Amino acid sequence: MGSLFRSEEMTLCQLFLQSEAAYACVSELGELGLVQFRDLNPDVNAFQRKFVNEVRRCDEMERKLRYLEKEIKKDGIPMLDTGESPEAPQPREMIDLEATFEKLENELREVNQNAEALKRNFLELTELKHILRKTQVFFDEQEGGLNHTTESMTRALITDEVRTGASMGPVQLGYMEKSNEREDYLPCFVAGVILREKLPAFERMLWRACRGNVFLRQAMIESPLEDPTNGDQVYKSVFIIFFQGDQLKSRVKKICEGFRATLYPCPEAPADRREMAMGVMTRIEDLNTVLGQTQDHRHRVLVAAAKNLKNWFVKVRKIKAIYHTLNLFNLDVTQKCLIAECWVPLLDIETIQLALRRGTERSGSSVPPILNRMQTFENPPTYNRTNKFTKAFQALIDAYGVANYREMNPAPYTIITFPFLFAIMFGDLGHGAIMALFGLWMIRKEKGLAAQKTDNEIWNIFFGGRYIIFLMGVFSMYTGMIYNDIFSKSLNIFGSHWHLSYNKSTVMDNKELQLNPGTSDYEGTPYPFGMDPIWQIAGANKIIFHNAYKMKISIIFGVIHMTFGVIMSWHNHTYFRNRLSLVYEFIPQLLFLLLLFSYMVLLMFIKWNRYAATNPMPYSESCAPSILITFIDMVLFNKPKDPPEGCKVYMFSGQGFFQSLFVLLAICCIPVMLLGKPIKIMQARKLANEEVQPITGATSDAEVGGVSNGSASHGGGGDQHDEEEISEIFIHQGIHTIEYVLGSVSHTASYLRLWALSLAHAQLADVLWTMVLSTGLKQEGWLGGIMLTIVFAFWAILTIGILVLMEGLSAFLHTLRLHWVEFQSKFYMGQGYAFQPFAFDAIIENGSASSGEAD
């Protein structure tokens, strides 16, 4: 089979590069993205490798670019992104890049430091301006005789007159009388600003520490001030504290320092305050001019950097990725040649050689690189080529487990089976159309949407699965037409094949109305496509009819899906030439599934074909046996119960004999699956010991040792059972046999989720129509139009939010489980490891040049 159905054939190669050409050659391979290098220095510390200094230089350049990016984003400057990927610079260009980044960083840091110093000075002058204004009001009140305590005063001055018993007379706030005798009692004050949220605690601390011997006035600064350190807007208040004595002065200053309050000089004389205020205003105007020029210069620097920042990031990350890859190489004894080992796709060897040749020509080296294939018994990585359409489906498979090397890839089949099984559960023409249109919109706008590169994880999941969403919507529209279901209603396209004898009121109002195909109301011919719309009015037996139909098709598609999975294992066994697994696993597994569950599906078709309401005895509807009861009696070897008079026990002649034969054959398949393979391996080992020679022919699962470089490890081959104890082989085979036999029953029942979710989806849609939208449709007149608009909006929100999003997610997860457990368990091991080539596109997309360091 081609690479679409299996992973690419891989080969291990040894690469010899001249030291002067190694950088250019690795750069070309990074642009190509088809080579996965192995680390030939696993025991060497990362700091002891040859190109560690170059990697550090790249780290330093990345740090500077991140600093520039942060500053650019802070100012909201758009960064130019042309979508182009420049080539990796030559090593000599690193010096120019480092010099450019160093100059930009130093210039920007210097501008930021100057701007911060100017902003800090501006903040201080602004706070001083507010202090001079507010304190002027305080002193004006004092001079006007308002020196008594008011509601705006938070603390009253308590003099120590009571403590000493000495009367000082009236005290004038802010007035300092020169007196040698009472120098400690001369009143003085301090003024400053403090954060508004700290003010209550500041007042309490002053009161307690100074024992009430202070007088505090405060006023809020209405406009917020900018913090120069982080640019945040903060609210502050001006305060002035009056006190007496050096001891209180020391306490007050310590408290202010503890609360991060800023103190400013405030002259006592009004003329001095006015003169200082004028000087402050002049300096603020000058600072505004200088700050504006500084911000303009900073903006110009950032705009110039924003034009090239994306390209600089790409260049630096490519350089770093190249040197990180070169650290994986070995040096030969002459120190002039680098040796590497790498996994490459077999079909792309010529393309890789051309890329190496281009790199050699770019470097000017005269010695061509050498690429040699190596023989190895290691398991190669799994590489499945994908495009934008198949990538999402391959991601669903890889989420379960990466396929073993050259194992059958379920992704191509999942493109059809996944949306189809989803649609069985989600079948509604209207809901499917909404989903398909959403997926189609993302497909049509994919270039623009992909260029946005948002960090919204939910959106990225939707956009990555746009083709899955579109196909799920299209398939849901198809199954919706089969169910004849659009927003819980039906379309009468071809005209009903029923002619009811009831009057209109009975049809519209009678909830117990049933459709009986045995009467003359039914024409006897089926509806041309899908369900007949007449079933919408059958309130009594509509759900019964849909239940029987959807339950049966769930089992039918489930058995077909599982049988297809078993057949896929045949492709694995034949490809890996694993005759033991083919004879003792595939054949009994397929027989077991066909003899029991495919026979049950056959009975469903026989029942549909032979029994009808209009048929005479013994094939009338009343004589139709239950498939479930028939299957249970078959497995348990029970004798069927006597049928009603005029009916037959079996559907066809010889049914009892064939059923007993099928069950016996199915039971015989179990010991074959359980013991056949281990016994054959045990016999082969015994024969080998007797003849003292290796096991040859089809005697073990290791026959595939030389296929595909001897690296097949699964798919029926490469199990290497010859290295296991025989007891472990028996236990291993017993577990797989029990899992398959019991799983066949449980997996078949698991497909009934198709019926259950389909029924739930249809009933939820019917509830929304009946309980919500129909109430708006029943209103008449202009008021009914307004009511219908409101009700329709509410119904549309519930439909999209519940039936499309939530029900869609539920059906998606159930479909995913059916593929992972019921389908892939029949043939898919998923124990390989993914091919991770050295590719610049992936490194740049991940935003890190060292994406391979985790290996």
Side-chain angles (χ1 to χ4, degrees):
M1 288 189 178
S3 61
L4 179 64
F5 302 100
R6 294 189 188 276
S7 61
E8 290 283 336
E9 286 193 56
M10 308 295 293
T11 182
L12 183 64
C13 294
Q14 193 172 36
L15 179 61
F16 296 88
L17 298 173
Q18 288 296 112
S19 297
E20 61 271 14
Y23 181 93
C25 291
V26 173
S27 173
E28 290 291 337
L29 294 178
E31 298 289 351
L32 197 60
L34 289 172
V35 178
Q36 176 178 331
F37 291 99
R38 302 172 64 191
D39 190 359
L40 300 183
N41 307 296
D43 300 326
V44 179
N45 190 285
F47 300 101
Q48 298 175 344
R49 303 201 177 195
K50 179 175 177 57
F51 299 99
V52 63
N53 291 329
E54 285 78 3
V55 174
R56 285 176 175 173
R57 290 166 62 188
C58 293
D59 285 335
E60 181 64 17
M61 286 192 288
E62 267 196 309
R63 182 196 62 78
K64 294 174 182 177
L65 289 176
R66 285 195 297 269
Y67 172 72
L68 291 174
E69 184 182 30
K70 183 183 71 173
E71 295 297 321
I72 290 171
K73 288 182 177 179
K74 186 187 296 183
D75 281 20
I77 300 173
M79 289 180 285
L80 181 63
D81 187 5
T82 60
E84 299 178 357
S85 179
E87 293 185 356
Q90 295 299 319
R92 58 180 176 272
E93 296 181 32
M94 282 184 65
I95 300 175
D96 297 335
L97 290 175
E98 286 176 317
T100 302
F101 301 159
E102 183 74 19
K103 178 183 176 183
L104 281 174
E105 185 191 27
N106 291 339
E107 184 177 4
L108 191 57
R109 287 191 183 277
E110 183 179 355
V111 170
N112 286 344
Q113 290 174 359
N114 294 336
E116 185 177 347
L118 290 172
K119 288 180 180 179
R120 187 175 288 108
N121 196 0
F122 180 79
L123 177 65
E124 293 174 354
L125 291 174
T126 305
E127 291 177 347
L128 181 56
K129 178 187 72 173
H130 287 289
I131 286 176
L132 293 175
R133 287 180 179 178
K134 301 297 182 181
T135 53
Q136 182 63 38
V137 176
F138 298 156
F139 284 111
D140 288 345
E141 290 177 355
Q142 188 271 334
E143 290 174 359
L146 299 176
N147 52 358
H148 60 279
T149 304
T150 64
E151 292 180 357
S152 62
M153 297 181 182
T154 59
R155 295 290 183 266
L157 174 65
I158 301 179
T159 66
D160 62 348
E161 182 178 341
V162 177
R163 179 174 58 83
T164 61
S167 176
M168 292 177 56
V171 176
Q172 300 296 322
L173 298 179
Y175 175 74
M176 304 216 28
E177 180 183 0
K178 294 183 179 180
S179 173
N180 295 329
E181 296 178 357
R182 304 296 301 275
E183 184 176 355
D184 293 339
Y185 293 93
L186 294 179
C188 58
F189 66 90
V190 293
V193 294
I194 189 173
L195 289 174
R196 194 176 297 176
E197 58 267 20
K198 293 183 179 181
L199 191 59
F202 180 64
E203 289 187 49
R204 289 193 297 269
M205 181 59 70
L206 278 174
W207 175 264
R208 293 170 181 171
C210 301
R211 299 181 181 179
N213 294 312
V214 293
F215 183 74
L216 172 70
R217 293 293 301 273
Q218 59 90 12
M220 293 186 297
I221 301 176
E222 291 79 8
S223 58
L225 304 177
E226 182 182 352
D227 191 342
T229 56
N230 52 25
D232 294 340
Q233 298 293 322
V234 295
Y235 289 88
K236 293 188 177 184
S237 295
V238 173
F239 66 87
I240 183 169
I241 306 172
F242 296 93
F243 51 84
Q244 287 181 331
D246 291 337
Q247 188 175 4
L248 283 181
K249 181 178 181 179
S250 175
R251 289 184 186 178
V252 169
K253 287 188 175 181
K254 287 182 179 179
I255 293 172
C256 291
E257 182 181 355
F259 279 87
R260 305 278 183 180
T262 308
L263 300 180
Y264 292 95
C266 182
E268 184 175 350
D272 295 340
R273 287 197 297 272
R274 284 193 296 270
E275 182 180 355
M276 178 179 284
M278 293 176 61
V280 167
M281 293 302 297
T282 303
R283 292 177 62 188
I284 286 177
E285 291 177 0
D286 295 340
L287 270 179
N288 275 326
T289 304
V290 177
L291 267 174
Q293 295 175 351
T294 303
Q295 291 295 337
D296 290 342
H297 177 64
R298 181 176 184 273
H299 185 76
R300 286 194 298 271
V301 172
L302 292 177
V303 168
K307 294 179 180 178
N308 301 311
L309 190 67
K310 292 291 185 182
N311 285 342
W312 285 340
F313 262 121
V314 172
K315 289 181 178 180
V316 171
R317 285 170 179 166
K318 284 187 176 182
I319 297 172
K320 183 179 177 183
I322 292 171
Y323 282 117
H324 170 75
T325 303
L326 290 175
N327 276 334
L328 306 178
F329 293 11
N330 257 343
L331 279 171
D332 70 338
V333 292
T334 63
Q335 301 289 314
K336 294 183 180 180
C337 180
L338 291 172
I339 305 171
E341 291 183 4
C342 54
W343 291 105
V344 299
L346 192 60
L347 295 178
D348 296 316
I349 288 184
E350 292 185 5
T351 307
I352 293 169
Q353 289 174 339
L354 289 175
L356 292 173
R357 195 173 299 123
R358 287 196 304 267
T360 305
E361 294 172 356
R362 282 179 52 193
S363 65
S365 174
S366 59
V367 180
I370 301 173
L371 186 67
N372 292 330
R373 291 183 61 184
M374 301 172 60
Q375 293 295 326
T376 179
F377 288 94
E378 291 187 38
N379 293 333
T382 300
Y383 175 42
N384 293 298
R385 293 185 191 271
T386 58
N387 52 38
K388 62 182 181 180
F389 176 71
T390 61
K391 183 178 180 180
F393 292 97
Q394 190 65 55
L396 291 179
I397 303 301
D398 292 343
Y400 175 79
V402 179
N404 288 11
Y405 177 65
R406 301 294 289 166
E407 186 179 19
M408 284 294 295
N409 183 20
Y413 312 102
T414 305
I415 295 174
I416 300 300
T417 60
F418 192 92
F420 181 71
L421 292 182
F422 172 88
I424 293 176
M425 294 181 276
F426 197 75
D428 188 289
L429 183 60
H431 302 155
I434 294 173
M435 185 174 290
L437 289 174
F438 177 60
L440 183 62
W441 173 78
M442 289 190 291
I443 292 172
R444 294 292 301 273
K445 303 289 185 180
E446 64 181 7
K447 291 185 178 179
L449 296 174
Q452 294 179 2
K453 297 179 180 179
T454 177
D455 294 331
N456 190 317
E457 187 176 357
I458 296 177
W459 166 253
N460 289 334
I461 292 174
F462 277 110
F463 182 71
R466 58 193 179 277
Y467 289 98
I468 299 179
I469 293 174
F470 174 70
L471 286 180
M472 290 192 304
V474 171
F475 277 73
S476 297
M477 293 173 64
Y478 168 74
T479 54
M481 290 188 292
I482 294 294
Y483 297 156
N484 203 351
D485 200 356
I486 174 170
F487 300 119
S488 79
K489 295 301 174 183
S490 296
L491 298 174
N492 190 4
I493 300 175
F494 304 103
S496 176
H497 284 219
W498 291 70
H499 299 285
L500 299 183
S501 56
Y502 305 106
N503 56 35
K504 182 178 179 181
S505 61
T506 303
V507 172
M508 298 300 295
D509 300 331
N510 190 354
K511 302 299 182 182
E512 303 299 325
L513 182 65
Q514 293 188 14
L515 293 180
N516 186 0
T519 63
S520 59
D521 293 343
Y522 179 51
E523 293 181 356
T525 57
Y527 194 69
F529 185 82
M531 292 282 187
D532 195 306
I534 197 67
W535 284 103
Q536 279 288 335
I537 66 171
N541 62 343
K542 172 188 173 182
I543 295 180
I544 298 174
F545 173 71
H546 282 189
N547 262 350
Y549 169 72
K550 292 181 178 179
M551 188 185 300
K552 288 182 175 63
I553 65 170
S554 298
I555 296 298
I556 291 170
F557 287 121
V559 172
I560 293 173
H561 201 212
M562 291 190 296
T563 305
F564 180 62
V566 176
I567 294 174
M568 293 278 283
S569 68
W570 171 77
H571 289 287
N572 279 333
H573 299 326
T574 54
Y575 177 82
F576 292 110
R577 303 176 187 174
N578 189 353
R579 197 159 65 93
L580 273 182
S581 295
L582 182 65
V583 174
Y584 297 104
E585 286 184 353
F586 165 72
I587 294 177
Q589 286 178 357
L590 184 62
L591 285 176
F592 185 85
L593 195 62
L594 292 177
L595 293 173
L596 294 181
F597 302 100
S598 295
Y599 173 73
M600 180 174 62
V601 171
L602 179 63
L603 291 180
M604 295 179 188
F605 283 100
I606 293 175
K607 181 178 178 180
W608 279 338
N609 184 55
R610 307 198 76 173
Y611 293 90
T614 56
N615 288 355
M617 292 291 187
Y619 297 112
S620 175
E621 180 186 13
S622 59
C623 295
S626 169
I627 301 296
L628 180 61
I629 299 300
T630 301
F631 185 74
I632 293 175
D633 290 339
M634 166 186 166
V635 175
L636 299 179
F637 295 98
N638 290 338
K639 183 179 179 181
K641 295 181 179 180
D642 294 333
E645 185 177 354
C647 299
K648 291 185 178 182
V649 177
Y650 295 110
M651 298 183 186
F652 57 91
S653 59
Q655 179 180 352
F657 169 76
F658 284 111
Q659 288 182 170
S660 301
L661 178 63
F662 290 166
V663 174
L664 290 175
L665 290 176
I667 293 175
C668 292
C669 291
I670 297 176
V672 176
M673 287 187 283
L674 180 64
L675 303 173
K677 189 174 176 181
I679 290 175
K680 278 293 183 181
I681 293 175
M682 185 171 60
Q683 291 175 351
R685 289 184 180 181
K686 183 178 179 181
L687 181 62
N689 291 333
E690 292 176 355
E691 298 180 0
V692 195
Q693 63 180 11
I695 301 176
T696 59
T699 54
S700 85
D701 282 1
E703 295 171 344
V704 73
V707 178
S708 301
N709 291 333
S711 54
S713 62
H714 179 62
D719 292 335
Q720 301 298 333
H721 281 309
D722 54 334
E723 299 177 0
E724 295 183 36
E725 294 290 338
I726 194 64
S727 59
E728 294 180 1
I729 296 176
F730 273 99
I731 294 173
H732 179 83
Q733 194 68 21
I735 292 173
H736 280 279
T737 302
I738 295 172
E739 181 184 9
Y740 180 82
V741 172
L742 297 182
S744 297
V745 180
S746 62
H747 292 175
T748 303
S750 180
Y751 279 93
L752 288 174
R753 69 185 70 237
L754 300 174
W755 153 66
L757 266 74
S758 175
L759 181 65
H761 186 82
Q763 291 303 305
L764 279 174
D766 187 58
V767 167
L768 278 185
W769 183 281
T770 305
M771 304 295 291
V772 180
L773 189 59
S774 63
T775 59
L777 295 173
K778 294 176 181 177
Q779 303 296 325
E780 298 180 356
W782 64 271
L783 185 61
I786 299 175
M787 182 70 176
L788 179 60
T789 303
I790 298 173
V791 170
F792 178 79
F794 184 59
W795 173 81
I797 293 172
L798 292 178
T799 297
I800 294 175
I802 297 177
L803 293 180
V804 177
L805 289 178
M806 293 180 62
E807 280 284 307
L809 178 61
S810 174
F812 178 88
L813 294 176
H814 282 284
T815 309
L816 194 62
R817 180 244 154 79
L818 290 176
H819 280 78
W820 280 359
V821 179
E822 278 73 22
F823 174 58
Q824 293 178 194
S825 64
K826 303 295 185 294
F827 68 96
Y828 188 75
M829 288 295 293
Q831 295 178 349
Y833 64 100
F835 177 60
Q836 296 178 339
F838 170 62
F840 286 145
D841 291 341
I843 293 171
I844 294 170
E845 184 179 355
N846 294 334
S848 173
S850 56
S851 61
E853 290 180 354
D855 291 340

